[in-house]
Amino acid sequence: MGFRELIEANADLPQSGSNGGYKTSTIIEGFITSVWCGANRFLHTEVTRHDAALVKIFDWKTAPGQDAYKRFINK
């Protein structure tokens, strides 16, 4: 579908300044996946964070937690 490439090509999105930070595409994909799986609060995103199958399917190093989403949205 090319969704990840579209996210990475958008220079207007906030980028992580930390070496240990998540890629912008991982944060957005993770958040959308959490909502798709039924999350309707930030705390509910923790369910998908611990799902090893989703991490492997989307080729993430690790899935972001609720704090990463909050920081990203506040930027």
Side-chain angles (χ1 to χ4, degrees):
M1 187 172 147
F3 186 67
R4 182 176 293 169
E5 291 78 18
L6 185 64
I7 294 169
E8 290 172 351
N10 189 336
D12 294 331
L13 292 172
Q15 302 295 321
S16 175
S18 170
N19 290 337
Y22 295 99
K23 294 182 358 182
T24 300
S25 59
T26 302
I27 294 172
I28 293 174
E29 286 175 342
F31 188 73
I32 290 172
T33 303
S34 294
V35 171
W36 177 64
C37 290
N40 58 5
R41 297 176 187 254
F42 283 111
L43 182 60
H44 297 163
T45 62
E46 292 296 318
V47 173
T48 54
R49 178 181 187 190
H50 299 290
D51 191 326
L54 287 176
V55 171
K56 188 167 181 88
I57 288 169
F58 286 99
D59 195 30
W60 301 326
K61 290 180 184 177
T62 58
Q66 64 175 326
D67 292 334
Y69 299 126
K70 289 177 187 177
R71 282 191 302 271
F72 181 79
I73 290 171
N74 282 331
K75 287 182 182 180

